[in-house]
Amino acid sequence: MFVVAGAWLTQRPAFALRTVVIEPAPGQVLRHVSSPLLRSTVTRKVRGNFFWTPLDQVRATFESVPWIRQASVRRIWPNRLVVTIEEHRVLGLWNDGRLVNTHGEAFAANLAEAEEDGPLPEFAGPPGSEAEVVLRWRELTRWLEPLGRRPEAVTLSPRLAWTVRLDDGTTVLLGREQGVPIADRVARLVNAWPSIEQRLGRRPE
């Protein structure tokens, strides 16, 4: 009898979902997704009440929306859901037309929205190498600081050879990570850069 009473109680209208609260992950401001659109999406696709709404289904629904990297869902008594959204933070362009986020993960989204703040670095490599290429780009950004140059494009070939294009248009073939480490090759390039500029007739900016 208590089981029947409990089942009856959980079906009462008071426990029907009435509010879906959308909040950004700590430290984030949602730039590419809007709370009204997300609430509309979940309202159309999710059925149930406070007790029976499948949270995994709600989370998956939100994570199917472009620009959303992760969503977490929790219940707030008696009839609310709170959804915390982490957006992708775009870092660069991947060679297959997707974007790459700051975690080194490729994702699909509107390119025009991604470039609102200006051109993005370009990354290329074999499938599954996104995180490795992003790590190399970060290393090169740090290593090239003494030159006042930044890597605009970083490529890892199928044979695992590295190429970098700098923001002045210079392309440097760094080769494979064997023998002399890439870090040492870049250090040699940095040391030799003034004489290279002189030989090419360039003046430091």
Side-chain angles (χ1 to χ4, degrees):
M1 179 175 179
F2 290 110
V3 173
V4 173
W8 175 84
L9 178 64
T10 61
Q11 298 298 324
R12 296 303 87 204
F15 301 113
L17 287 178
R18 299 185 184 280
T19 306
V20 178
V21 178
I22 311 294
E23 61 181 25
Q28 276 204 341
V29 175
L30 298 181
R31 296 184 58 190
H32 300 288
V33 295
S34 69
S35 296
L37 174 62
L38 293 177
R39 277 194 290 269
S40 172
T41 298
V42 77
T43 299
R44 291 196 309 268
K45 295 186 177 181
V46 175
R47 296 290 181 269
N49 64 11
F50 179 83
F51 295 98
W52 302 113
T53 297
L55 298 189
D56 284 346
Q57 179 184 336
V58 177
R59 177 184 54 77
T61 297
F62 277 96
E63 289 181 352
S64 68
V65 176
W67 284 107
I68 293 183
R69 179 176 182 259
Q70 288 183 340
S72 62
V73 186
R74 67 184 189 276
R75 297 181 174 93
I76 301 294
W77 179 268
N79 51 24
R80 288 196 301 162
L81 291 181
V82 175
V83 184
T84 303
I85 299 296
E86 179 190 348
E87 276 191 340
H88 289 285
R89 291 182 175 176
V90 66
L91 182 65
L93 308 175
W94 193 245
N95 59 284
D96 62 2
R98 292 181 296 167
L99 301 166
V100 179
N101 66 20
T102 53
H103 296 273
E105 302 162 341
F107 68 101
N110 188 315
L111 180 58
E113 293 178 336
E115 294 188 311
E116 287 176 349
D117 297 326
L120 296 169
E122 301 170 14
F123 305 129
S129 66
E130 295 91 343
E132 183 180 5
V133 175
V134 165
L135 176 60
R136 181 64 78 200
W137 175 82
R138 287 188 168 127
E139 291 173 336
L140 287 164
T141 298
R142 187 173 69 254
W143 295 337
L144 293 167
E145 272 187 39
L147 297 181
R149 300 295 182 197
R150 289 183 59 83
E152 279 193 342
V154 176
T155 299
L156 178 62
S157 76
R159 297 186 65 252
L160 306 183
W162 292 96
T163 301
V164 57
R165 187 181 76 239
L166 307 184
D167 55 357
D168 66 350
T170 302
T171 297
V172 181
L173 306 179
L174 295 172
R176 302 175 66 181
E177 189 73 80
Q178 61 182 15
V180 179
I182 297 294
D184 290 350
R185 296 176 201 174
V186 176
R188 291 177 182 177
L189 173 67
V190 170
N191 290 333
W193 192 260
S195 61
I196 294 174
E197 292 273 15
Q198 187 175 24
R199 196 178 310 151
L200 295 176
R202 298 179 181 174
R203 292 184 178 180
E205 296 177 1

